[in-house]
Amino acid sequence: MYFTLRRSSLWACNTVTTERVKGEHPRLNRDLVLDTAAELVKQQGVEALTMRKLAAELGTAVTSIYWHVGNRESLLTELVARTVAELGEIRPRGRTPRDRIVSLARTLRRELRAHPHLVALVHERGRTEQMFQPVAQALVHEVHAAGLRGARAAQAVRAVQFQVVGFVVLERYRERAPVQRPGEQELWDADTAGQDPALARALAAEVDVDRLFAASARALVDGLLGPA
Amino acid sequence: MYFTLRRSSLWACNTVTTERVKGEHPRLNRDLVLDTAAELVKQQGVEALTMRKLAAELGTAVTSIYWHVGNRESLLTELVARTVAELGEIRPRGRTPRDRIVSLARTLRRELRAHPHLVALVHERGRTEQMFQPVAQALVHEVHAAGLRGARAAQAVRAVQFQVVGFVVLERYRERAPVQRPGEQELWDADTAGQDPALARALAAEVDVDRLFAASARALVDGLLGPA
DNA sequence: ACCTGAACACCGTTCAAGT
DNA sequence: ACCTGAACACCGTTCAAGT
């Protein structure tokens, strides 16, 4: 049997928030709803963010939430915007523009991976664009410093953004799905790999995503800027 | 009021399949379930693939489906596998290995974009790995021909796969989400872009994904193989 | 071996009614 | 202005019962 938690029974349940458990219930407002929703997502993932669970967490009726945030869609949108704003500022490191661009890529990836709930949120809402934002300014600056101009510079900025975000999204997928890739082996043994056992071995092994990313980012930037 | 369609009332409804509408109902089997599910996804998207809609489409009870395919999860898994198998074989074009790798990347992207329901499916199920498969063999061959060996060759193969699939996934996101990027402008006007009006203009404009992909793929491959 | 309806435990959202 | 319960239209899945 399903029932919504009443405010008065909040103490009895496995609540997510810690600060609010023992005190009085403050008046419900938009910020409180959003904070609680964010906490829920952070601790139990986006799929746990249902209007009913959120209401239980807040100790209110489900319908009260609607008065403050409209509906689930706009709640998620607001949550994404907030989390993006919370991302640390991304500052480049390294001597050459080339190094600094690679460092920006690496830092953006680290930052996004440190907020997996954000990626999941964006995932769910289809607003990947927002994940591009944090490095935008810095990338423009560095690409310009590297000597690229006009449309070509813009394209380089976008290429790096797409690579990083695409990579992070793919990584998240891989983490969700269990390993199971049956029959992949046979693809490699046939032709070329037979002559190159080290290649065959490398392809059979688990992907080292950190190294793969580092190599990809470096290669892309090298390709974009031309030989040093 | 919700009710499931009975076999006898199939003719009366807006069914998705065309071939089966007027005929007798063949005996329900696994393949029929999968075919109908695939058709549903192709025409109305993954989100339309509910067990109940599928049952209505088949003219059976919802529960009958479970006997043949287990549950929704395994139904989707099987659907993904099938669609991957249906993808056309991807053959490289061009004179140099470098050109052929770029061509493989481009063709994989085109192939995946031609099956948007596949991407959506994989999306939903978190099995991105499978989208890598179609080009695997060919990529290994070309990377080897380009002179890369061992772990380095393997990494190049993966880098290209990740780039293409990541790009396609991102593209799909962007298509789902309406344009709306408020306040992006101000990021560019400030610093560097002020000195480079062409850059500012390019950044303000919509992204030309085809050109961006072409440039990215070329840059990545150049970076991976080193200067020609 | 295959198909059924009923039931269970969930969803998001609307709405009239309360204070 | 804010909060409520009841209700609606959906979900996926299980299960005992039929043929």
Side-chain angles (χ1 to χ4, degrees):
Chain A
M1 193 60 180
Y2 179 80
F3 60 97
T4 52
L5 297 171
R6 312 304 317 281
R7 282 173 180 237
S8 50
S9 67
L10 232 199
W11 51 267
C13 313
N14 43 353
T15 45
V16 158
T17 50
T18 45
E19 341 82 43
R20 293 184 56 249
V21 176
K22 50 189 73 170
E24 288 295 294
H25 277 287
R27 213 164 182 296
L28 198 62
N29 60 25
R30 189 180 163 83
D31 276 334
L32 184 57
V33 172
L34 288 167
D35 288 344
T36 312
E39 197 66 22
L40 203 57
V41 170
K42 206 173 284 183
Q43 296 193 15
Q44 290 169 217
V46 225
E47 66 282 356
L49 179 56
T50 71
M51 301 305 265
R52 288 174 143 96
K53 274 185 188 147
L54 182 54
E57 205 60 48
L58 286 163
T60 59
V62 207
T63 41
S64 306
I65 299 169
Y66 284 80
W67 201 91
H68 291 283
V69 297
N71 56 16
R72 187 167 187 272
E73 193 69 1
S74 56
L75 170 63
L76 285 171
T77 303
E78 182 59 28
L79 236 45
V80 171
R82 276 182 156 220
T83 324
V84 169
E86 271 169 28
L87 284 186
E89 201 202 341
I90 296 178
R91 294 242 308 277
R93 290 173 173 280
R95 289 218 191 79
T96 64
R98 190 179 299 252
D99 285 339
R100 287 199 289 273
I101 294 171
V102 173
S103 117
L104 286 173
R106 205 176 345 233
T107 313
L108 176 58
R109 171 166 171 261
R110 196 186 332 115
E111 203 71 38
L112 291 179
R113 282 181 59 88
H115 298 259
H117 53 284
L118 168 64
V119 181
L121 228 45
V122 162
H123 208 248
E124 154 116 354
R125 279 289 286 99
R127 319 214 41 226
T128 337
E129 215 76 3
Q130 298 211 22
M131 294 204 288
F132 291 162
Q133 247 176 290
V135 269
Q137 266 171 305
L139 269 180
V140 171
H141 187 82
E142 296 302 334
V143 159
H144 191 86
L148 299 191
R149 295 289 179 272
R152 192 135 170 259
Q155 203 167 51
V157 169
R158 252 91 190 234
V160 173
Q161 290 181 315
F162 265 74
Q163 192 190 39
V164 176
V165 177
F167 204 96
V168 172
V169 170
L170 251 55
E171 277 184 282
R172 276 226 88 236
Y173 279 137
R174 308 182 89 252
E175 283 159 17
R176 284 204 301 166
V179 257
Q180 55 136 354
R181 303 158 276 181
E184 203 184 2
Q185 213 88 335
E186 68 215 39
L187 280 169
W188 317 117
D189 298 351
D191 232 38
T192 331
Q195 304 152 31
D196 188 344
L199 171 58
R201 232 179 301 120
L203 286 170
E206 264 296 289
V207 185
D208 181 339
V209 278
D210 289 331
R211 292 180 68 142
L212 179 60
F213 178 77
S216 298
R218 172 58 69 179
L220 179 69
V221 174
D222 280 348
L224 287 169
L225 301 187
Chain B
M1 193 60 178
Y2 180 79
F3 61 97
T4 51
L5 296 172
R6 311 303 318 282
R7 282 172 182 241
S8 51
S9 68
L10 232 201
W11 51 267
C13 313
N14 43 351
T15 46
V16 158
T17 51
T18 44
E19 339 84 45
R20 294 183 56 248
V21 176
K22 52 189 71 169
E24 289 295 292
H25 277 287
R27 213 163 183 295
L28 199 61
N29 60 24
R30 188 179 163 83
D31 276 335
L32 185 55
V33 172
L34 288 167
D35 288 344
T36 312
E39 196 66 23
L40 203 56
V41 169
K42 206 174 286 183
Q43 295 192 16
Q44 292 170 216
V46 225
E47 68 282 354
L49 181 56
T50 72
M51 302 304 265
R52 290 176 142 95
K53 273 187 190 148
L54 181 55
E57 205 61 46
L58 285 162
T60 60
V62 205
T63 42
S64 306
I65 299 170
Y66 284 80
W67 201 92
H68 291 283
V69 296
N71 56 16
R72 187 167 186 272
E73 193 68 0
S74 56
L75 170 62
L76 285 171
T77 304
E78 183 59 28
L79 235 45
V80 171
R82 277 182 156 221
T83 324
V84 170
E86 271 169 29
L87 285 185
E89 202 201 341
I90 296 180
R91 293 242 309 277
R93 292 173 172 279
R95 289 216 191 79
T96 64
R98 189 178 300 252
D99 284 341
R100 286 200 290 272
I101 294 172
V102 173
S103 115
L104 285 173
R106 210 183 334 241
T107 314
L108 176 58
R109 171 165 172 262
R110 195 187 331 114
E111 203 71 37
L112 291 179
R113 283 181 57 89
H115 298 259
H117 53 284
L118 169 64
V119 181
L121 229 44
V122 162
H123 209 245
E124 155 114 356
R125 278 289 286 98
R127 318 213 42 226
T128 338
E129 215 75 3
Q130 299 212 21
M131 295 204 288
F132 292 161
Q133 247 174 289
V135 270
Q137 266 171 305
L139 269 179
V140 171
H141 188 81
E142 296 303 333
V143 158
H144 191 86
L148 298 190
R149 294 291 179 271
R152 188 130 174 263
Q155 203 166 53
V157 169
R158 252 90 189 238
V160 173
Q161 290 180 315
F162 266 74
Q163 191 189 40
V164 176
V165 177
F167 203 96
V168 172
V169 170
L170 252 52
E171 278 183 283
R172 276 226 86 235
Y173 279 137
R174 308 181 90 254
E175 282 159 17
R176 283 204 302 165
V179 256
Q180 52 136 354
R181 304 158 276 180
E184 203 182 2
Q185 213 87 335
E186 68 214 42
L187 280 169
W188 315 119
D189 298 351
D191 232 37
T192 331
Q195 305 152 31
D196 190 344
L199 170 57
R201 231 179 301 121
L203 286 170
E206 264 296 290
V207 186
D208 182 339
V209 277
D210 289 331
R211 292 181 69 143
L212 179 61
F213 178 77
S216 299
R218 172 57 70 180
L220 179 69
V221 175
D222 281 347
L224 288 168
L225 300 187

